[in-house]
Amino acid sequence: MKKSLVPCLLSFLIMFAAGSILADVLPKDYRMEPVMRGLTRPSAMALAPDGRIFYLERTTGNVRVIRNGKLLSNNYIHVDVSTTAEEGLLGIVLHPDFQKNGYLYIYYTQLSPKTNRIVRYVDQGSNGSSATVILDNIGSAAGGNNNGGGLVFGNDGKLYATVGDMESSGDAQLLSSLKGKVLRMNDDGTAPADNPYPGEPYPYSLIYSIGFRNPTDIAMNKNVGTIYDTDAYDGTTQCDETNVVKSGTNYGWDVEFCQGSSYEPALHSLDPMNISGLSPYLGSKYPGFENNLFIAGETDGKIVRDVLSGSAYDTFSSTASFYDSPSGTECPIVVKDLTDGRDSWLYAVSDDSTSSRAGIYRVIRDQYGYTNAKPREVSNTPYLNMTLAKDGSGLRLWWEDLKKDVWTCSDANKDGNCDAAGSKTKRYTIWQGTLNSPFSYTHTKLAETEGDGTSQNDALRSYGIGSMPSGNVYYLVSGRGANLEGTAGYKTGGAERPGYSSTESEICNAIGWGETLGKCTNDWAHTYPDQDGNMRSIHEFRGKAVFITMMQYG
């Protein structure tokens, strides 16, 4: 399929009052970039600390995994789901201690007997096992609508779940029904003693707040602990809402809606966009947007940005247009879920009706363009690590596809580094280096890929190294014309690694951001020429994969 040269539209026109969200032109330093497209009815996602991307196929009942940019062939989990209207696999969350206990939770509409439920699994690497029903018989709707399905863990360690009214609008006001509620529970499904309705019998003692129609998503600002949810209304004359979720609070459905005065008002009442997902942005790569609330809608694929104020970021100040997919392009619509990643990019799940566009995307910002480019590093993300693996009798090097990251190609063939306006990076250079002795390193250009190189999928490129090298060898990949600026990567806990310290309890990985002969890459004393002849430190190269045998040095 021929790629459109019309960019996905992002804009930042501030609106100082709630109202129509307007689309503006794309600032050249922001874009929507696919991680992987062509996915089957994706509905929600979770990003694991180890770099895996979990996502739900709403209508198949399959939980799938993307690892290092590759979609694993096996189903991580399969459940039998009802798929009437809005039913199916709806929500997913990882336990805050996922790295230790492997707990993963899904919210879905069971096929038979038909009911929404929450089930916990234990991660086994390639699959989830030991299914434990945390909450069963939440309810169902005859027409299959308004199921809710959002899941999040709060800073208090409790699991919060959103439940829609399931077409029984009056139940949203009843403490004898779970419908139309936000629930709060311990990680085993029991009711915390400090829930606001402890006098109600279980499971109604799980109720945390009431009066919702169809809260499809819930999210938390980890910096301050504030919890937000969406609430989608019906038709074009009624409004969608975002709310600050508070204990024991009534949000009014179905007595009133759209900023009513008798019940808790919405944080923000929006024009109808079939609101579906939200995420506070806690990263540092979108200057000025920290702690803003990003909100997605299925209608026309809109994403808007709410500017919040107050120490708890619980007061609405203004709203801004952020993304509005233009027609006739490869940009996604029907945005179902948003997630703030550990790499500070905002990730979006699109269930686009055009199957080739349905997938996972991220919003990329590059601060500079053209010859002043200081683009992000190859593989400087936990979800697309550079890797080196056996390939027959040789090796294959995998790296992140930079697409337009090296050059902001808004002008055709700018500086000769882009094929046309909106095109991908034209060339990658692969370097092979040899560790001759401790602190004596040399490298030479191994290959230069033309065009896209070897395309693996939307996220990855690769290069085959025909024979297995001997000795201590490392590999580097850079985009043509890149400034090759970077860091030494991230610690296991997610913080940037400023440099190797003898007090570090962990060591750098030999593949990716590596420790070699007792030194992390940004401590290596020697510099090497880049493709322009400039001398640079190892850690300044965009990304690294290292093939090491320690025979020479023991």
Side-chain angles (χ1 to χ4, degrees), residues 389-434:
K390 284 187 176 181
D391 184 18
S393 60
L395 299 173
R396 182 162 291 273
L397 182 65
W398 305 75
W399 70 89
E400 179 183 352
D401 177 17
L402 293 175
K403 292 183 169 58
K404 295 185 294 181
D405 291 345
V406 171
W407 299 100
T408 305
C409 302
S410 56
D411 295 340
N413 202 31
K414 176 69 175 179
D415 297 329
N417 288 292
C418 300
D419 295 324
S423 69
K424 297 179 180 179
T425 299
K426 187 174 182 179
R427 183 173 296 176
Y428 295 97
T429 305
I430 298 98
W431 308 85
Q432 178 171 298
T434 303

Side-chain angles (χ1 to χ4, degrees), residues 196-469:
Y197 306 106
E200 300 297 323
Y202 184 86
Y204 308 114
S205 54
L206 298 176
I207 294 173
Y208 187 70
S209 53
I210 72 175
F212 302 97
R213 181 181 180 272
N214 189 22
T216 55
D217 199 12
I218 189 167
M220 182 190 63
N221 185 319
K222 295 180 181 179
N223 291 340
V224 293
T226 301
I227 294 176
Y228 315 91
D229 78 346
T230 64
D231 202 0
Y233 286 88
D234 53 349
T236 59
T237 59
Q238 297 177 324
C239 57
D240 290 342
E241 293 181 355
T242 58
N243 299 287
V244 174
V245 180
K246 303 174 183 177
S247 175
T249 303
N250 189 336
Y251 293 82
W253 179 259
D254 71 333
V255 181
E256 67 180 24
F257 50 87
C258 293
Q259 299 282 25
S261 58
S262 300
Y263 297 88
E264 181 71 18
L267 173 67
H268 181 194
S269 181
L270 303 92
D271 283 351
M273 58 185 291
N274 198 8
I275 190 169
S276 53
L278 80 171
S279 176
Y281 178 70
L282 306 179
S284 59
K285 292 183 178 178
Y286 307 160
F289 295 172
E290 294 83 2
N291 296 292
N292 283 193
L293 187 63
F294 286 80
I295 306 159
E298 296 184 39
T299 305
D300 298 327
K302 293 181 183 295
I303 301 175
V304 300
R305 176 174 62 86
D306 278 2
V307 180
L308 306 180
S309 59
S311 59
Y313 297 101
D314 58 357
T315 303
F316 173 78
S317 294
S318 61
T319 191
S321 172
F322 187 73
Y323 172 76
D324 189 355
S325 176
S327 60
T329 76
E330 291 195 359
C331 303
I333 60 174
V334 193
V335 180
K336 299 283 289 185
D337 191 22
L338 295 173
T339 301
D340 183 10
R342 288 177 56 236
D343 53 6
S344 288
W345 302 128
L346 185 70
Y347 286 73
V349 174
S350 171
D351 185 18
D352 198 301
S353 57
T354 301
S355 59
S356 62
R357 292 197 300 245
I360 296 172
Y361 296 75
R362 55 187 173 176
V363 179
I364 298 298
R365 175 183 182 269
D366 288 336
Q367 188 173 359
Y368 306 99
Y370 306 134
T371 55
N372 294 320
K374 291 187 178 180
R376 61 192 172 90
E377 303 167 359
V378 169
S379 307
N380 189 14
T381 162
Y383 313 112
L384 291 169
N385 292 314
M386 180 179 283
T387 59
L388 192 65
K390 284 187 176 181
D391 184 18
S393 60
L395 299 173
R396 182 162 291 273
L397 182 65
W398 305 75
W399 70 89
E400 179 183 352
D401 177 17
L402 293 175
K403 292 183 169 58
K404 295 185 294 181
D405 291 345
V406 171
W407 299 100
T408 305
C409 302
S410 56
D411 295 340
N413 202 31
K414 176 69 175 179
D415 297 329
N417 288 292
C418 300
D419 295 324
S423 69
K424 297 179 180 179
T425 299
K426 187 174 182 179
R427 183 173 296 176
Y428 295 97
T429 305
I430 298 98
W431 308 85
Q432 178 171 298
T434 303
L435 312 182
N436 299 309
S437 64
F439 309 111
S440 175
Y441 314 97
T442 59
H443 71 264
T444 58
K445 182 191 298 184
L446 178 66
E448 199 158 68
T449 65
E450 297 290 342
D452 288 346
T454 303
S455 175
Q456 302 301 323
N457 54 48
D458 283 317
L460 296 181
R461 293 290 178 264
S462 75
Y463 176 77
I465 301 163
S467 59
M468 186 70 69

Side-chain angles (χ1 to χ4, degrees), residues 66-291:
I66 298 170
R67 183 164 57 201
N68 288 335
K70 304 174 189 177
L71 178 61
L72 303 187
S73 59
N74 63 294
N75 294 327
Y76 181 83
I77 294 169
H78 173 79
V79 292
D80 293 330
V81 295
S82 177
T83 58
T84 302
E86 298 170 346
E87 296 173 342
L89 266 174
L90 302 174
I92 181 171
V93 70
L94 307 184
H95 194 282
D97 289 328
F98 177 77
Q99 287 179 290
K100 295 180 180 179
N101 58 33
Y103 288 170
L104 175 148
Y105 299 74
I106 59 174
Y107 182 119
Y108 68 97
T109 314
Q110 181 177 257
L111 178 62
S112 179
K114 190 170 92 165
T115 185
N116 286 291
R117 64 197 320 226
I118 300 172
V119 179
R120 184 181 73 195
Y121 290 82
V122 179
D123 176 47
Q124 298 297 323
S126 62
N127 67 283
S129 66
S130 305
T132 302
V133 178
I134 297 301
L135 181 61
D136 209 353
N137 300 315
I138 298 174
S140 63
N145 295 306
N146 302 356
N147 298 282
L151 296 172
V152 73
F153 273 92
N155 280 351
D156 56 5
K158 308 304 180 185
L159 175 62
Y160 293 76
T162 62
V163 181
D165 69 10
M166 302 182 201
E167 304 174 13
S168 300
S169 57
D171 285 0
Q173 291 293 318
L174 301 179
L175 293 180
S176 57
S177 171
L178 297 181
K179 297 178 180 179
K181 310 296 192 299
V182 170
L183 309 180
R184 177 177 181 261
M185 64 196 79
N186 298 317
D187 64 4
D188 61 357
T190 57
D194 58 347
N195 266 8
Y197 306 106
E200 300 297 323
Y202 184 86
Y204 308 114
S205 54
L206 298 176
I207 294 173
Y208 187 70
S209 53
I210 72 175
F212 302 97
R213 181 181 180 272
N214 189 22
T216 55
D217 199 12
I218 189 167
M220 182 190 63
N221 185 319
K222 295 180 181 179
N223 291 340
V224 293
T226 301
I227 294 176
Y228 315 91
D229 78 346
T230 64
D231 202 0
Y233 286 88
D234 53 349
T236 59
T237 59
Q238 297 177 324
C239 57
D240 290 342
E241 293 181 355
T242 58
N243 299 287
V244 174
V245 180
K246 303 174 183 177
S247 175
T249 303
N250 189 336
Y251 293 82
W253 179 259
D254 71 333
V255 181
E256 67 180 24
F257 50 87
C258 293
Q259 299 282 25
S261 58
S262 300
Y263 297 88
E264 181 71 18
L267 173 67
H268 181 194
S269 181
L270 303 92
D271 283 351
M273 58 185 291
N274 198 8
I275 190 169
S276 53
L278 80 171
S279 176
Y281 178 70
L282 306 179
S284 59
K285 292 183 178 178
Y286 307 160
F289 295 172
E290 294 83 2
N291 296 292

